[in-house]
Amino acid sequence: MKPLPLAIALLGLFATLPARAETPEQKGLAIIQDAEKRGENFGDLSAEAQMLIRNGRGGEARRSLKIALLDLPGAASKSLTVVEAPKDVKGTALLTHTAADASDQQWIYLPAAGRTKRIASSGRSGPFMGSEFSFDDFSAQSTERYRYKWLRAAPCPAPAQGERCDLIERIPKESGSGYARQEIWMDQAQRRLYQADYYDAQNQRIKTLTAEGYRQYQGRFWRADRLLMSNARTGASTSLEWSDIRFGSGLREADFDLNRLGSAR
Amino acid sequence: MAGPRLSRPRPVPGPALTLLLALAAAGPAAADLDLRLETETRLFTAQSRGDAAVAAGLRASHAPRPGEQLVLEAFVRADAREDARSRADLREAYYEAQAGLLTTRLGARRVYWGVAESRHLVDTLNQSDLADDLDGETKLGQPMLEFVFGGETTALSLYALPGFRERRLPGPGGPIVYPFPLAPEETRIEAGAGLLHADYAARASGQFGDLDLALSWFDGIGREPDILPCLRQGSGFPGTEDEANCALLESVTAAAPRRNLLTPLLQALGLAPSNAEIAAELEQRAYANLVLVPVYQRERRLGLEAQYIHEALALKFEGLVRDTRSARSYAAVAGFEYNLSGLFGSAQDLGLIVEALRDTQPGLLSARYDHEVFLGGRWSLNDVAGSQALGGVLIDSTGAGQTWSLEASRRLGDDWKLGLRLRAFTGGDPSDLANVVKDADELRLTLERYF
């Protein structure tokens, strides 16, 4: 079974998402697999991101990131995120290797100390740089890590008004992801993720991700320009705006080697 | 030991100028420039005095072609009271080229090895700046030629390290009150070939599932000096005509007046000073002429780093075998860090750190690590300000005292950063002359502005 570098997976950059089957579980999975197929083989991608973090009490902070992705055969992929701002942590780099069997590893390079640290998988649900996004959001997430269930077809949420969406439930197979389940909205025409609601074990909504400003690249790949992650409990939110999205800039696998992490900035 | 003496450290390694010119030629538009200004206040609480300093750090980088990079990192500080800290340093100044699996770097660099928290045992290549901070985490740039053959997560690094930089020690006005004056001008370095001298090192690292392993080798001048009490040059004691004499006992004994058959008789008649008087006079003269001399020995070291991560638990090990001309010694740090994430339902993380340290190397300075236990914690608030704190206590199980430390920082807005460091030494023998840190307690506040 192929992993899904899905919408929230890498904040929407990795790919988007389709369908017909018997049980709701099969139908859900089939849609996800269709979405994955459409996003396959994009080669490499580089982009810049501006994050605006609002703490819900009037405070704001900005983050500036550079991201590079490499699509590899099967579930495999590599990603590199380098911090540009705030300046005191400029050069901090987050490297993720996802293997063909969908297992992944993550490292962070801390320039002030010149140290590279491996991030335990249990530590990846934590916030990335004080934002509402987690370290996990910066890795490709594979289909195999979740169970799926098609819930219903419905009109799409606000940013895709007028279109038809499928509502699919996605449940992490392993605990430690920081939430019990997600409900994701994908439009039926192009399998693009428009919204994801995160629920805790008490079925309380904890976070909502929305994506808007979808544009098609290379006549094939859909990417959203803006993402918004809102925390339902604290009122905090983080918006992420992509710019300078470029496909096929000739990144090689060696650019993602662990020993070159310190040279990334 | 009286090896050839090297000249004073050269703070600007050769390639730096070339780099500066290259960066200047690249123009500010093409180069990536980062500036940091810092103010620092230090209070030596056990000595009821303090110090203040201002510092600036500049980092410039430029990529002349894809796969190539020029990097320059300079630091300058003006310190009100401690002259040893008022200086400029090129911490990094190097050229890097990537081609296929090979990365080549030429110039002054800082390279970090290791996994442990309480002691950076296997970290070898760079000299420490203890004048900057007694924790030794501030490193001086080391001139080097580095070849790295890298795989996905593996690497083989080879180093040629020309030039040797002496450890920067706190000077007068700093936290340490030395029992005798420090004589850096008398520094001794055991080395082979003077100016042509180069050290060599290699390191192989790889990942095997959840296990990270690295094996390193070094042959060169040990970065950690022993600090020996010696008789000052020109003090009149035998062997001090040209340099300080560190063979204390022999020199002082030889300085005693010659005895002959008549000596006991003369002493009995009070016509010659008694043995006790001679000894007291000699002792007084010796004390008045003692200085502390840093002595560096050539060493070969083999280091092993291992880290095994299972869920929230990271097991860590660093081990070292050192061979010097006089002795072989072993040292190790072993422990774990257990991470409690999402503390009390918040976004905060707390890492609990426990490490045990052993070191068989004799010497004044390594005694801090001969038989210790470290208990500590790393607290990350994961907030917008990036607030974090790392604190702990290093406990000597042979009763030589405890070292307490706390480092905390947070951003103020996007461009300012506030830092706090606290260090305290408790429980050591205050009458032990080697216990130079007994009054070195320090509270440090820094405010940085990033541009």
Side-chain angles (χ1 to χ4, degrees):
Chain A
M1 193 179 300
K2 289 218 168 185
L4 166 70
L6 161 91
I8 340 168
L10 242 184
L11 312 178
L13 275 191
F14 251 108
T16 39
L17 302 203
R20 63 210 97 55
E22 290 78 48
T23 69
E25 286 78 12
Q26 285 167 329
K27 184 170 180 179
L29 182 62
I31 291 174
I32 298 293
Q33 285 171 335
D34 179 36
E36 182 192 35
K37 209 172 170 67
R38 291 171 189 233
E40 258 176 7
N41 303 323
F42 66 81
D44 67 76
L45 184 162
S46 60
E48 291 177 16
Q50 301 293 327
M51 270 198 217
L52 179 62
I53 302 169
R54 294 191 174 91
N55 67 7
R57 299 184 301 274
E60 285 187 0
R62 278 163 224 284
R63 306 282 183 264
S64 177
L65 310 169
K66 281 198 299 198
I67 293 191
L69 307 175
L70 186 67
D71 187 34
L72 293 164
S77 66
K78 291 180 177 178
S79 77
L80 178 63
T81 304
V82 182
V83 177
E84 292 280 296
K87 296 277 183 61
D88 66 310
V89 289
K90 182 174 175 178
T92 300
L94 184 70
L95 176 70
T96 310
H97 288 181
T98 305
D101 66 357
S103 64
D104 61 0
Q105 292 183 301
Q106 204 166 44
W107 300 267
I108 190 162
Y109 172 76
L110 305 165
R115 286 178 82 162
T116 298
K117 287 188 170 186
R118 188 146 148 181
I119 303 179
S121 46
S122 62
R124 295 190 209 156
S125 58
F128 178 74
M129 298 190 72
S131 75
E132 292 304 318
F133 293 105
S134 71
F135 279 83
D136 231 359
D137 291 329
F138 285 80
S139 64
Q141 294 170 15
S142 66
T143 0
E144 273 139 27
R145 283 170 61 182
Y146 303 93
R147 288 183 289 117
Y148 297 90
K149 188 179 174 185
W150 180 81
L151 297 177
R152 63 180 185 274
C156 287
Q161 220 148 26
E163 302 199 43
R164 291 290 290 175
C165 268
D166 287 304
L167 184 60
I168 296 161
E169 182 182 62
R170 188 165 91 141
I171 300 171
K173 288 177 182 169
E174 285 174 33
S175 60
S177 49
Y179 57 88
R181 66 183 194 94
Q182 293 176 2
E183 284 182 12
I184 55 185
W185 298 79
M186 294 186 133
D187 75 306
Q188 294 181 339
Q190 299 292 344
R191 305 296 184 200
R192 293 167 297 198
L193 183 138
Y194 277 101
Q195 184 169 325
D197 296 303
Y198 296 62
Y199 293 89
D200 65 10
Q202 286 75 47
N203 209 26
Q204 295 291 309
R205 188 169 62 89
I206 48 180
K207 280 181 178 182
T208 294
L209 175 79
T210 55
E212 60 179 88
Y214 270 101
R215 280 198 283 171
Q216 199 172 22
Y217 295 84
Q218 310 237 317
R220 198 178 152 200
F221 307 111
W222 289 94
R223 295 293 183 271
D225 278 348
R226 287 177 303 284
L227 301 169
L228 180 71
M229 186 74 93
S230 314
N231 190 314
R233 287 174 178 165
T234 62
S237 68
T238 299
S239 71
L240 191 151
E241 199 148 324
W242 293 109
S243 59
D244 203 16
I245 296 183
R246 276 182 293 177
F247 284 82
S249 45
L251 299 174
R252 298 157 309 148
E253 225 180 320
D255 297 330
F256 298 84
D257 282 354
L258 181 58
N259 75 84
R260 288 185 172 157
L261 188 52
S263 308
R265 75 199 236 173
Chain B
M1 178 192 347
R5 206 168 297 160
L6 286 184
S7 53
R8 300 282 88 211
R10 290 142 290 167
V12 180
L17 189 64
T18 324
L19 267 166
L20 275 169
L21 291 172
L23 283 167
D32 191 12
L33 282 176
D34 296 299
L35 178 67
R36 175 178 70 90
L37 298 179
E38 177 190 306
T39 66
E40 177 196 73
T41 310
R42 297 188 298 165
L43 293 174
F44 306 118
T45 49
Q47 304 174 44
S48 305
R49 59 190 181 88
D51 190 11
V54 290
L58 177 75
R59 190 184 194 278
S61 66
H62 170 62
R65 281 184 289 271
E68 286 181 38
Q69 203 173 185
L70 290 159
V71 177
L72 182 80
E73 199 174 319
F75 177 80
V76 59
R77 171 168 45 217
D79 193 288
R81 299 245 170 99
E82 190 181 351
D83 288 345
R85 300 178 93 234
S86 292
R87 53 206 314 178
D89 186 35
L90 268 182
R91 290 183 170 170
E92 299 209 295
Y94 66 92
Y95 164 77
E96 173 186 295
Q98 299 182 353
L101 298 178
L102 176 68
T103 305
T104 308
R105 299 186 184 98
L106 177 67
R109 293 222 335 123
R110 286 179 297 180
V111 173
Y112 181 81
W113 297 345
V115 291
E117 201 58 53
S118 56
R119 183 182 191 189
H120 303 317
L121 181 65
V122 302
D123 188 32
T124 301
L125 301 189
N126 294 92
Q127 186 53 277
S128 296
D129 185 351
L130 295 191
D132 183 89
D133 194 337
L134 285 180
D135 68 5
E137 292 192 6
T138 306
K139 297 292 180 181
L140 304 176
Q142 167 69 45
M144 66 176 75
L145 172 63
E146 177 186 19
F147 295 108
V148 186
F149 302 91
E152 196 175 21
T153 59
T154 54
L156 173 66
S157 309
L158 304 175
Y159 303 89
L161 309 150
F164 173 73
R165 304 192 68 181
E166 291 170 37
R167 178 157 293 194
R168 282 195 190 155
L169 299 166
I176 302 268
V177 180
Y178 297 99
F180 308 110
L182 196 63
E185 70 282 357
E186 294 283 355
T187 297
R188 290 171 182 211
I189 299 165
E190 179 199 6
L195 279 177
L196 290 176
H197 170 87
D199 297 337
Y200 297 93
R203 182 173 182 262
S205 62
Q207 308 220 333
F208 307 90
D210 293 327
L211 180 67
D212 301 350
L213 281 178
L215 194 63
S216 57
W217 172 82
F218 171 82
D219 183 350
I221 302 166
R223 271 44 177 161
E224 186 175 350
D226 209 349
I227 307 284
L228 296 184
C230 304
L231 290 161
R232 177 197 317 275
Q233 184 196 348
S235 57
F237 283 92
T240 59
E241 295 78 18
D242 300 324
E243 58 178 7
N245 189 342
C246 302
L248 277 187
L249 200 60
E250 290 155 40
S251 183
V252 173
T253 311
R258 288 191 168 276
R259 293 169 67 87
N260 56 34
L261 286 173
L262 281 177
T263 308
L265 181 64
L266 292 173
Q267 285 180 331
L269 294 170
L271 297 172
S274 71
N275 288 347
E277 283 169 340
I278 293 171
E281 193 255 329
L282 271 178
E283 189 182 312
Q284 206 176 9
R285 254 180 73 208
Y287 264 103
N289 283 292
L290 280 180
V291 289
L292 295 171
V293 173
V295 176
Y296 297 87
Q297 281 189 285
R298 181 183 169 194
E299 70 181 20
R300 291 188 181 86
R301 33 161 81 196
L302 187 66
L304 175 70
E305 301 152 57
Q307 176 172 270
Y308 178 79
I309 296 184
H310 180 71
E311 293 177 354
L313 180 70
L315 300 173
K316 300 174 179 198
F317 176 84
E318 287 187 29
L320 192 65
V321 186
R322 313 179 190 87
D323 267 326
T324 64
R325 211 156 49 94
S326 50
R328 165 171 288 191
S329 62
Y330 303 89
V333 185
F336 67 85
E337 178 163 351
Y338 185 78
N339 193 40
L340 301 160
S341 50
L343 211 58
F344 312 122
S346 69
Q348 303 178 13
D349 294 341
L350 180 64
L352 303 173
I353 306 167
V354 178
E355 291 179 354
L357 300 89
R358 294 287 182 276
D359 197 333
T360 67
Q361 187 178 45
L364 247 48
L365 295 177
S366 48
R368 270 190 71 203
Y369 301 111
D370 60 356
H371 222 259
E372 334 278 301
V373 172
F374 176 81
L375 304 173
R378 185 198 318 275
W379 184 30
S380 306
L381 272 71
N382 288 320
D383 57 352
V384 168
S387 312
Q388 53 186 334
L390 173 65
V393 56
L394 186 70
I395 305 164
D396 186 297
S397 40
T398 59
Q402 303 87 35
T403 307
W404 303 81
S405 64
L406 175 71
E407 283 178 32
S409 68
R410 68 168 304 174
R411 251 189 313 275
L412 303 170
D414 287 336
D415 300 320
W416 294 82
K417 191 169 199 168
L418 190 63
L420 171 117
R421 286 187 203 186
L422 197 60
R423 190 177 296 111
F425 300 89
T426 56
D429 177 2
S431 64
D432 181 359
L433 284 182
N435 186 9
V436 294
V437 295
K438 60 178 185 287
D439 291 324
D441 297 358
E442 179 181 329
L443 168 67
R444 178 187 303 210
L445 280 171
T446 54
L447 181 63
E448 294 165 287
R449 168 78 161 98
Y450 291 82
F451 296 90

